[in-house]
């Protein structure tokens, strides 16, 4: 029996090649999407779960709350938290801290140096986590200070084919190269690990170059602290002991509720955006939701195709149903048969889909910013079989029900009227598919528009042809803000004197921060009424505003001629003036009491130094760092402050100019790596997430419309094949080919129009939710929806017309004779 | 074998009730070869469909082998289709995707006949109708008469007690028609199979031993020839 069913299924599959092709390929595309998304989401959800003790590992957080919104919530912690926890909390098994800094590493004095991300970790790092030490003695590791552990990739980079163990590496620490011995090789961190690393050194060693005060200070946060609790520990009970611990640790500084410590499960880090980002990266689940929703929609469209086509196609199977019933088939026999056929088709489709997903994987990785790979394990095979079964159930059951319900005498007499012919179901499905497609098209258009808007908006400064050069200067024990800014200006002037012959570099200036760096330096200070004021600050040289083309609207810019500018001049932006409610800012002072002697000499236009997600925040700039640093109560920055030199270059022969700059830089600052970026590209990179969304939206809507059109193509051809006689009669009565084409197209156009009406409000809502993220938005023009609808109508017309024009040209003699 | 009592079949249209069959009383004994005749629209096919459980009467009683058909459920009806009744259609109604062999074999599949037994039964049937050479062909590769032979073979393979044939020769030319009718006659005489056929042709009707004339949904003449 089964053999008979399979035979029939395969033969009818091959007999109606076009429908089989449409059904299988459409569903396969849907399945491919789904397979990729499944891969992505399982990867997202598996983050950090590979540690065998993952249920006992927590990351500590601190929350300082001094009232009036003066809140500091961090997942990086004070260094002193580790010894304090070890002393006060008996449930603690082990604690490992880690922090990351970038510095230069080289093999020997004469070698080239690499800028490398260096992780300082406690020895417990190797026992708490499951990162496997491939070589070296895990008991002894980091028992000495000058030890270093590498991943195989880095080991290969430094030592190529030599055995790296016991080799020496020079690492820049505290301004000088220090020798380390390689004592271990550790496996590459898995891609689904929040903790990523390459080169590890002992925390104890890293601490020797830090300010000793910061190691005991509860208000300075640097490392992440990972806590392994013992097996009996109860998280709530442990956390309940923290207030008492803090009271003891802070002594008389302790006020209830001001300084909280807590633990976050390690498996929660990756997808929880409510905690501030520490060192471990966090992924915003929104984008995986969007990705998942699009994949699901595409799968639904494909399933709908499958259903509508199967039902429409069923006329050709009706006779068989009738015969089988007269021979004695019961309804359940026929249900099994047709459902079985659906299953066969879905098994084909799913297998094909998995193949397609394998091909699409590199492209998908690019879209989602991941490095996923497809592994066929028993689990995934079970998963895909389950998916096939599920799809065949939802897509196959309805056609099976319809088909098995045919009355034999009706179908055998050819009187059959499939309900789907006139009923709302099939039309509803077309509307449904097109609603989704139009929704996706409109969203894609809007994402495009917003991105164009972000890229082309006048930011209030010159962003083209500006090269940002890293000086590599860092804050350190002997290097305060004043020292590094002065050093940077010195290098800039030296650079200027060397390069004067070269006309390609038109202008240059030094500053601590440049646009497109998140937040610059955020500071708080108390004004005369003890109100907390917030602003961002930046330290620039006298040429910076001029060079960047930032417009000074009141007062004047910094000047080299007026020597007091270097000491006491401040320039603020319009947002700060508005924030403080000043009519005229010139000559005024910042309202804090502790600032050194200063004067506001100018006000600049609100240029967008941050990303366009936020509106311009109050900003103060000075040449003298201590001027602004003296009066503040709190300071925070995202990236460690390091001066940069901005160079305005001519637009001609840029590669040549870059080479000149590199050569000059090597002379000006020997030993410092040449690290540069174009300002406009780093500004664009702020919107990488949006660009990713754009790519997802484009490919998603393209797929959706392709699958929907496949379905439409099939439906149109079925409808026409049933109307061949009508078309023939109309032609005999004098209808032109054009009028027949229009007749057929009209029916579907109405459906597409209905879809537009449904899709527009949905798209409008989704888009406005997304745009809420931005302080600066492109307007959602009416034309956008017109265009989205127009595209849908155009594509559907193109699809149907292939069929209807063909039908309209059939000689009526043929079509009528065949009846 | 078949006992129809006061059978009505009608379609309600707004205010009017259109009778297709009205007050049919009919008895058919096992071993009869009956031809139902009458003009187009007289209700011949409807009567045949009701006899074959493919259609239900609106009123009246129907006993098949003394079993009240009007109270059978779908499952039981399928059971009868499988074991007692074979159909032959004017348009042959073979399954296009199956070969001659597979078409004939199909009823056995629903009766869950074992593979080896199935093989010999189909082989017998192919042999009996002289179509062994055609067993791997698809229906569209056969002539009309050959297709109808396959149709008859399929109807017979379940060794039914009753064969219902709706204008079995309507699409065939005379030589082929004769062949089919000879087959029916032989079945009736040698195997004692009851045959009910609908036909327009007196010649075809003459193969049977009883004629029922229908007009406007009522039996006008029952067995006109017998009286002669």
């Amino acid at each position: 029996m089964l053999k008979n069913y399979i035979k029939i299924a395969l033969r009818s599959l091959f007999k109606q090649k076009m429908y089989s092709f449409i059904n299988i390929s459409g569903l396969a595309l849907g399945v491919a999407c789904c397979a990729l998304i499944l891969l992505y989401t399982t990867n997202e959800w598996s983050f950090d779960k590979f540690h065998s003790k993952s249920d006992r590992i927590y990351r500590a957080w601190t929350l300082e709350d001094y009232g009036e919104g003066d809140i500091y919530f961090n997942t990086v912690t004070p260094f002193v938290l580790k010894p304090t926890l070890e002393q006060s909390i008996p449930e603690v098994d082990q604690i490992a801290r880690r922090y990351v800094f970038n510095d230069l590493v080289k093999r020997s004095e004469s070698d080239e140096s690499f800028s490398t991300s260096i992780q300082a970790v406690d020895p417990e790092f190797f026992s708490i986590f499951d990162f496997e030490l491939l070589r070296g003695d895990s008991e002894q590791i980091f028992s000495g200070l000058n030890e270093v552990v590498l991943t195989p990739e880095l080991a290969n980079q430094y030592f190529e084919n030599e055995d790296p163990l016991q080799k020496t590496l020079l690492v820049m620490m505290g301004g000088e190269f220090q020798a380390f011995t390689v004592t271990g090789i550790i496996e590459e961190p898995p891609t689904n690990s929040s903790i990523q690393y390459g080169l590890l050194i002992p925390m104890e060693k890293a601490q020797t170059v830090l300010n000793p005060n910061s190691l005991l200070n509860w208000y300075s946060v640097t490392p992440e602290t990972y806590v392994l609790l013992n097996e009996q520990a109860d998280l709530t009970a442990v956390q309940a002991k923290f207030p008492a611990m803090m009271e003891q640790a802070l002594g008389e500084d302790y006020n209830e509720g001001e300084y909280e410590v807590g633990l976050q499960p390690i498996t929660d880090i990756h997808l929880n955006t409510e905690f501030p980002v520490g060192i471990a990266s966090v992924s915003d689940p929104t984008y995986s939701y969007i990705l998942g929703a699009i994949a699901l929609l595409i799968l639904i469209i494909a399933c709908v195709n499958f259903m509508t086509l199967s039902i429409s196609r069923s006329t050709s199977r009706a006779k068989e149903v009738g015969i089988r019933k007269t021979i004695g088939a019961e309804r359940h026999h026929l249900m099994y048969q047709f459902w079985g056929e659906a299953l066969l088709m879905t098994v084909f489709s799913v297998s094909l889909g998995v193949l397609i997903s394998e091909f699409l994987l590199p492209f998908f990785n690019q879209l989602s910013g991941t490095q996923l790979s497809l592994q066929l394990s028993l689990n995934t095979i079970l998963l895909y079989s389950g998916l096939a079964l599920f799809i065949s159930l939802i897509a196959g059951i309805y056609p099976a029900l319809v088909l098995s319900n045919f009355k034999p005498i009706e179908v055998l007499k050819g009187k059959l009227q499939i309900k789907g012919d006139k009923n709302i179901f099939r039309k509803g499905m077309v509307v449904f598919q097109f609603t989704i497609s139009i929704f996706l098209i409109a969203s894609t258009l809007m994402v495009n528009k917003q991105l164009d808007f972000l890229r082309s908006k006048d930011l209030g400064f010159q962003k083209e042809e500006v090269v940002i050069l890293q000086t590599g200067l860092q804050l350190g024990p002997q290097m305060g803000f004043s020292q590094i800014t002065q050093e940077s200006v010195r290098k800039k002037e030296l650079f200027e004197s060397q390069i004067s012959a070269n006309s390609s570099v038109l202008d240059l200036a030094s500053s601590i921060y440049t646009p497109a760096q998140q937040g610059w330096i955020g500071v708080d200070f108390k004004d005369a009424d003890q109100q907390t004021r917030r602003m961002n600050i930046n330290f620039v040289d006298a040429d910076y505003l001029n060079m960047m083309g930032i417009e000074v609207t009141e007062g004047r810019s910094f000047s080299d001629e007026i020597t007091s500018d270097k000491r006491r001049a401040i320039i603020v932006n319009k947002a700060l003036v508005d924030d403080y409610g000043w009519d005229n800012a010139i000559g005024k002072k910042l309202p804090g009491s502790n600032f050194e002697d200063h004067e506001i000499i100018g006000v600049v236009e609100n240029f967008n130094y941050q990303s366009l997600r936020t509106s311009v925040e109050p900003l103060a700039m000075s040449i003298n760092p201590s001027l602004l640093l003296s009066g503040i109560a709190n300071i925070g920055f995202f990236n460690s402050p390091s001066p940069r030199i901005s160079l305005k270059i001519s637009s001609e022969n840029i590669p040549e100019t870059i080479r000149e700059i590199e050569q000059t830089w090597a002379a000006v600052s020997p030993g410092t790596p040449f690290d540069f970026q174009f300002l406009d590209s780093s500004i664009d990179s702020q919107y990488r997430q949006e660009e990713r969304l754009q790519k997802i939206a484009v490919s998603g809507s393209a797929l959706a419309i392709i699958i929907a059109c496949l379905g439409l193509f099939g439906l149109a051809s079925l409808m026409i094949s049933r109307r061949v006689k009508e078309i023939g009669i109309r032609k005999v009565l004098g209808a032109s080919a054009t009028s027949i084409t229009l007749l057929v197209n009209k029916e579907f156009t109405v459906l597409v129009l209905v879809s537009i009406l449904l899709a527009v409000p949905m798209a409008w809502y989704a888009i406005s939710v997304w745009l809420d993220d931005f302080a600066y938005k492109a307007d959602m023009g009416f034309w956008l929806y017109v265009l989205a609808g127009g595209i849908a109508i155009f594509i559907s017309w193109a699809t149907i017309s292939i069929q209807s024009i063909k039908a309209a040209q059939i000689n009526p003699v043929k079509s009528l004779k065949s009846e | 074998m078949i006992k129809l009592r006061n059978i009505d079949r009608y379609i309600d249209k707004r205010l009017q009730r259109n009778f297709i069959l009205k007050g049919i009383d009919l008895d058919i004994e096992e071993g009869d070869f009956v031809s139902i005749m009458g003009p187009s629209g007289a209700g011949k096919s409807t009567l045949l469909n009701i006899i074959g459980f493919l259609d239900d009467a609106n009123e009246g009683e129907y006993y098949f082998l003394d079993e009240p058909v009007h109270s059978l459920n779908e499952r039981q009806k399928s059971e009868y289709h499988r074991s007692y009744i074979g159909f032959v259609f004017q348009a042959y109604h073979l399954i296009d995707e199956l070969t001659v062999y597979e078409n004939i074999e199909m009823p056995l599949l629903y009766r869950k006949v074992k593979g080896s037994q199935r093989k010999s039964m189909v082989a017998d049937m192919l042999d009996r109708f002289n179509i062994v050479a055609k067993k791997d062909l698809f229906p569209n590769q056969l002539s009309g008469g050959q297709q109808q032979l396959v149709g008859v073979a399929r109807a017979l393979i379940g060794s039914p007690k009753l064969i219902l044939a709706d204008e079995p020769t309507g699409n065939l030319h005379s030589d082929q028609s004769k062949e089919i009718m000879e087959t029916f006659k032989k079945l009736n005489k040698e195997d004692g199979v009851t045959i009910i056929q609908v036909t327009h042709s007196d010649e075809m009707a003459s193969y049977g031993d009883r004629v029922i004339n229908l007009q406007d949904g009522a039996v006008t003449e029952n067995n006109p020839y017998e009286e002669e």
Side-chain angles (χ1 to χ4, degrees):
Chain A
M1 195 78 212
L2 191 67
K3 214 173 99 194
N4 185 277
Y5 285 164
I6 290 174
K7 236 184 269 174
I8 286 231
L10 286 177
R11 283 179 192 159
S12 61
L13 202 74
F14 285 112
K15 195 173 162 197
Q16 297 183 302
K17 287 193 189 69
M18 192 184 73
Y19 305 112
S20 308
F21 172 76
I22 290 175
N23 254 349
I24 291 180
S25 58
L27 200 53
L29 281 177
V31 168
C33 275
C34 237
L36 290 173
I37 302 307
L38 266 174
L39 198 64
Y40 177 78
T41 44
T42 42
N43 182 62
E44 287 284 282
W45 287 101
S46 70
F47 255 74
D48 299 320
K49 295 203 171 106
F50 59 89
H51 297 295
S52 52
K53 298 170 204 144
S54 63
D55 56 329
R56 293 192 283 136
I57 306 173
Y58 298 88
R59 180 175 70 170
W61 50 262
T62 61
L63 174 64
E64 298 165 63
D65 183 352
Y66 303 108
E68 296 166 39
D70 198 3
I71 294 171
Y72 304 90
F73 184 21
N74 278 301
T75 51
V76 283
T77 60
F79 281 103
V80 69
L81 184 62
K82 179 185 180 202
T84 310
L85 281 170
E86 282 169 346
Q87 277 161 27
S88 331
I89 312 291
E91 288 94 332
V92 167
D93 238 3
Q94 285 182 316
I95 296 179
R97 294 165 297 183
R98 70 159 188 147
Y99 84 94
V100 181
F101 59 99
N102 280 298
D103 225 320
L104 300 175
V105 175
K106 60 181 178 181
R107 266 197 70 181
S108 63
E109 285 302 338
S110 54
D111 234 19
E112 192 191 350
S113 52
F114 300 91
S115 176
T116 308
S117 156
I118 298 165
Q119 311 251 336
V121 299
D122 289 306
E124 289 92 337
F125 183 87
F126 301 98
S127 51
I128 293 179
F129 301 114
D130 281 14
F131 304 123
E132 192 191 346
L133 203 60
L134 302 173
R135 304 191 52 194
D137 181 354
S138 57
E139 299 290 313
Q140 294 297 312
I141 207 94
F142 284 2
S143 51
L145 279 187
N146 285 26
E147 291 186 20
V148 62
V149 170
L150 299 173
T151 57
E153 192 186 316
L154 270 188
N156 193 39
Q157 186 186 331
Y158 295 127
F159 303 106
E160 287 167 5
N161 297 324
E162 298 170 47
D163 181 2
L165 277 196
Q166 303 307 324
K167 289 266 172 13
T168 304
L169 264 189
L170 299 175
V171 179
M172 174 78 96
M173 290 196 69
E176 52 175 345
F177 278 106
Q178 303 201 20
F180 285 77
T181 310
V182 180
T183 55
I185 301 294
I186 190 166
E187 67 169 333
E188 299 290 340
T191 49
N192 59 351
S193 168
S194 294
I195 300 172
Q196 295 290 325
Y197 52 81
L199 187 153
L200 302 156
I201 61 165
M203 177 65 84
E204 219 183 324
K205 173 68 187 176
Q207 287 176 345
T208 58
V209 296
L210 293 172
N211 184 339
N213 285 336
S214 73
L215 297 179
L216 297 171
N217 187 344
W218 280 96
Y219 303 99
S220 154
V221 289
T222 311
E224 282 184 330
T225 303
Y226 288 91
V227 180
L228 175 69
L229 297 180
N230 65 29
E231 283 174 27
Q232 292 78 37
D234 171 53
L235 180 63
T236 7
V238 171
Q239 298 209 62
K241 295 178 182 171
F242 287 160
M245 175 187 84
M246 288 315 298
E247 187 168 5
Q248 206 195 349
L250 291 175
E252 54 192 32
D253 286 342
Y254 182 77
N255 282 315
E256 206 180 327
E258 272 190 3
Y259 203 118
E260 271 185 66
V261 174
L263 297 176
Q264 177 191 18
I266 186 172
T267 49
D268 184 48
I269 294 175
H270 183 64
L271 287 176
N272 194 335
T273 48
E274 281 168 22
F275 281 88
V277 180
I279 298 169
S281 70
V282 172
S283 141
D284 185 350
T286 317
Y287 282 87
S288 34
Y289 291 148
I290 294 179
L291 212 63
I294 290 181
L296 199 63
L297 285 180
I298 290 176
L299 186 65
I300 291 175
I301 290 185
C303 283
V304 165
N305 259 359
F306 195 93
M307 274 162 76
T308 45
L309 282 178
S310 302
I311 294 171
S312 315
R313 214 166 63 98
S314 55
T315 28
S316 68
R317 302 298 295 278
K319 194 179 96 180
E320 183 189 330
V321 172
I323 298 167
R324 284 182 183 273
K325 279 200 167 178
T326 58
I327 284 171
E330 286 173 46
R331 191 165 175 198
H332 70 261
H333 290 126
L334 295 162
M335 294 250 314
Y336 286 141
Q337 184 188 345
F338 288 112
W339 176 69
E341 282 186 23
L343 183 65
L344 190 76
M345 284 264 232
T346 43
V347 168
F348 275 149
S349 307
V350 169
S351 320
L352 187 64
V354 172
L355 270 179
I356 295 177
S357 71
E358 177 78 56
F359 280 112
L360 290 180
L361 194 59
F363 179 64
F364 177 79
N365 273 333
Q366 207 191 338
L367 278 185
S368 60
T370 49
Q371 285 106 42
L372 303 173
S373 64
L374 208 62
Q375 276 137 7
L376 274 189
S377 65
L378 184 66
N379 273 342
T380 49
I381 290 172
L382 277 178
L383 189 75
Y384 289 131
S385 320
L387 191 66
L389 202 65
F390 178 71
I391 294 171
S392 73
L393 272 178
I394 55 169
I397 276 296
Y398 185 74
L401 279 172
V402 172
L403 278 168
S404 63
N405 202 25
F406 287 155
K407 287 257 175 297
I409 38 165
E410 284 174 13
V411 290
L412 293 181
K413 271 190 203 151
K415 275 206 310 204
L416 180 77
Q417 265 284 332
I418 302 173
K419 290 198 186 97
D421 244 14
K422 23 180 182 176
N423 89 356
I424 297 196
F425 177 78
R426 216 175 62 194
K427 290 181 176 174
M429 290 295 132
V430 172
V431 168
F432 175 79
Q433 292 182 317
F434 269 80
T435 304
I436 294 174
S437 305
I438 294 164
F439 170 81
L440 288 173
I441 294 174
S443 310
T444 309
L445 289 174
M446 192 59 218
V447 173
N448 277 341
K449 194 178 177 197
Q450 174 70 5
L451 269 175
D452 277 350
F453 172 79
L454 293 178
R455 290 199 188 106
S456 61
K457 183 179 182 305
D458 180 10
L459 300 176
F461 58 85
Q462 179 72 44
K463 68 171 182 177
E464 277 87 26
E465 286 115 31
V466 175
V467 173
I468 309 282
L469 185 56
Q470 303 276 357
T471 61
L473 297 163
Q474 298 271 346
L475 291 175
Q478 263 74 55
M479 296 287 274
F481 273 106
S482 299
Q483 282 79 19
I484 58 171
T485 45
Q486 278 164 21
E487 180 61 15
S488 173
V489 170
R490 196 189 64 77
K491 285 193 173 181
K492 180 209 100 176
E493 279 163 1
L494 192 59
F495 196 100
E496 205 167 7
S497 67
Q498 300 242 348
I499 211 165
S500 56
N502 181 357
S503 58
S504 294
V505 175
L506 307 173
D507 201 357
L508 69 169
S510 156
S511 61
I512 294 266
Y513 280 94
T514 52
Q517 284 178 281
Q518 205 178 9
W520 291 10
I521 308 176
V523 297
D524 291 340
F525 62 95
K526 296 264 199 292
D527 67 8
D529 306 327
Q530 293 301 304
Q531 283 273 329
T532 301
R533 299 274 198 182
R534 280 199 167 173
M535 61 180 183
N536 292 311
I537 58 176
N538 192 5
F539 310 121
V540 299
D541 70 359
D543 302 328
Y544 189 72
L545 295 181
N546 211 356
M547 182 250 135
M548 288 295 289
I550 295 166
E551 194 189 341
V552 180
T553 50
E554 279 179 68
R556 60 181 179 82
S557 183
F558 296 118
S559 164
D560 274 329
E561 271 90 65
I562 303 167
T563 47
S564 65
D565 277 6
K566 277 207 172 115
R567 189 167 45 82
R568 61 187 296 270
I570 288 179
I571 289 180
V572 298
N573 71 352
K574 188 125 190 331
L576 187 134
V577 175
D578 294 342
D579 192 34
Y580 295 176
W582 290 335
D583 287 333
N584 182 8
I586 307 304
K588 286 222 165 54
K589 295 181 186 310
L590 292 169
S593 47
N594 296 328
F595 289 107
E596 284 175 11
D597 170 47
H598 66 278
E599 185 186 348
I600 293 172
I601 59 159
V603 177
V604 291
E605 198 48 58
N606 280 340
F607 64 100
N608 293 95
Y609 57 98
Q610 291 161 305
S611 109
L612 292 170
R613 279 188 208 92
T614 46
S615 43
V616 178
E617 291 171 347
L619 171 73
M621 291 172 286
S622 68
I623 299 176
N624 175 7
S626 59
L627 197 58
L628 288 169
L629 293 172
S630 57
I632 58 169
N634 272 302
I635 184 164
F637 28 74
F638 287 96
N639 318 81
S640 53
S642 170
R644 292 132 219 268
I645 297 173
S646 306
L647 305 109
K648 173 90 182 107
I649 58 170
S650 124
S651 61
E652 275 153 42
N653 204 356
I654 289 172
E656 180 61 27
T657 312
I658 296 295
R659 232 183 52 213
E660 300 263 14
I661 295 173
E662 180 168 8
Q663 280 163 4
T664 318
W665 181 243
V668 167
S669 188
T672 318
F674 179 64
D675 187 354
F676 78 98
Q677 277 171 312
F678 288 98
L679 180 58
D680 49 0
S681 67
S682 52
I683 286 174
D684 285 348
S685 72
Q686 294 176 310
Y687 310 115
R688 205 163 281 154
Q689 232 182 5
E690 281 71 24
E691 261 171 47
R692 193 182 294 169
L693 178 70
Q694 180 194 27
K695 285 187 200 150
I696 292 171
V698 167
S699 37
S701 47
L703 262 182
I705 196 99
I706 288 173
I707 298 178
C709 280
L710 276 177
L712 194 64
F713 186 76
L715 275 184
S717 83
L718 280 167
M719 194 199 73
I720 287 164
S721 72
R722 224 166 293 146
R723 286 172 73 172
V724 164
K725 187 174 158 195
E726 178 198 331
I727 291 170
I729 294 171
R730 280 177 190 274
K731 282 194 85 171
V732 170
L733 296 178
S736 67
T738 324
S739 73
I740 286 170
T741 310
L742 284 176
L743 175 85
V744 176
N745 287 12
K746 197 179 74 190
E747 190 169 323
F748 285 104
T749 310
V750 171
L751 300 182
V752 177
L753 285 175
V754 172
S755 312
I756 294 174
L757 285 181
L758 288 173
V760 165
M762 281 163 54
W764 181 84
Y765 176 75
I767 290 166
S768 35
V769 168
W770 178 69
L771 279 180
D772 272 350
D773 264 6
F774 297 90
Y776 300 88
K777 322 170 181 189
D779 45 298
M780 293 194 272
F782 176 69
W783 66 267
L784 189 124
Y785 301 105
V786 175
L787 186 61
I791 291 175
I793 290 187
F794 175 78
I795 295 178
S796 61
W797 268 62
T799 309
I800 303 163
S801 297
I802 298 174
Q803 300 279 349
S804 54
I805 291 174
K806 205 164 68 187
Q809 278 163 352
I810 296 175
N811 186 342
V813 175
K814 269 187 191 162
S815 56
L816 292 180
K817 197 176 154 194
S818 75
E819 270 297 303
Chain B
M1 181 184 211
I2 288 167
K3 196 195 277 178
L4 297 176
R5 286 295 170 268
N6 207 16
I7 292 288
D8 285 353
R9 179 79 177 94
Y10 51 75
I11 295 168
D12 282 327
K13 274 188 185 165
R14 289 204 195 108
L15 299 171
Q16 209 182 349
R17 174 166 285 184
N18 281 359
F19 280 93
I20 303 166
L21 294 175
K22 192 164 168 53
I24 302 278
D25 286 315
L26 194 61
D27 289 281
I28 294 170
E29 298 306 320
E30 212 161 337
D32 280 358
F33 188 160
V34 182
S35 303
I36 303 175
M37 297 189 73
S40 290
K44 306 184 296 289
S45 294
T46 307
L47 181 59
L48 198 73
N49 286 337
I50 288 175
I51 292 173
F53 310 169
L54 295 181
D55 202 354
D56 292 319
N58 297 93
E59 306 279 343
E61 290 168 358
Y62 172 22
Y63 297 91
F64 183 80
L65 295 172
D66 295 327
E67 192 79 42
V69 174
H70 43 266
S71 58
L72 293 179
N73 62 25
E74 286 297 321
R75 212 193 161 86
Q76 289 163 317
K77 285 180 184 171
S78 296
E79 189 60 44
Y80 277 101
H81 283 156
R82 259 177 261 164
S83 319
Y84 293 98
I85 306 175
F87 289 91
V88 177
F89 303 94
Q90 178 179 7
Y92 331 128
H93 287 327
L94 303 176
I95 294 179
D96 300 334
E97 284 82 11
L98 295 179
T99 61
V100 166
Y101 183 97
E102 289 157 354
N103 263 295
I104 297 175
E105 181 190 30
M106 198 169 58
L108 302 180
L109 295 171
Y110 284 109
R111 294 173 64 185
K112 301 203 170 67
V113 177
K114 284 212 183 65
S116 52
Q117 201 187 342
R118 227 160 50 211
K119 228 176 210 167
S120 66
M121 288 169 79
V122 177
D124 271 358
M125 208 45 82
L126 289 168
D127 201 30
R128 183 160 161 192
F129 289 98
N130 262 329
I131 44 178
V132 179
K134 313 255 186 257
K135 74 179 170 63
D136 291 324
L137 297 181
F138 286 93
N140 57 13
Q141 296 166 306
L142 301 176
S143 73
Q146 288 166 332
Q147 287 194 45
Q148 194 59 295
L149 276 181
V150 176
V152 174
R154 184 180 63 186
L156 286 179
I157 193 145
S159 1
K161 289 193 158 40
L162 172 66
I163 285 193
L164 298 174
D166 195 349
E167 302 198 38
T169 56
N171 284 3
L172 303 178
H173 57 74
S174 54
D175 284 352
Q176 291 174 326
S177 302
K178 275 182 191 147
E179 193 184 349
I180 297 289
M181 291 324 289
E182 288 296 345
T183 312
F184 276 169
K185 192 164 186 175
K186 209 168 138 205
L187 278 173
N188 180 252
K189 292 285 170 280
E190 289 174 12
D191 301 324
V193 178
T194 314
I195 292 174
I196 305 177
Q197 68 162 339
V198 167
T199 183
H200 281 293
S201 143
D202 288 332
E203 192 196 342
M204 298 307 143
S206 68
Y207 284 91
D209 35 43
R210 184 176 159 194
V211 170
I212 294 166
N213 266 334
L214 272 188
Q215 202 137 22
D216 293 335
V219 178
T220 50
E221 282 175 295
N222 199 338
N223 218 355
Y225 302 105
E226 215 166 58
E227 289 160 15
E228 284 170 10

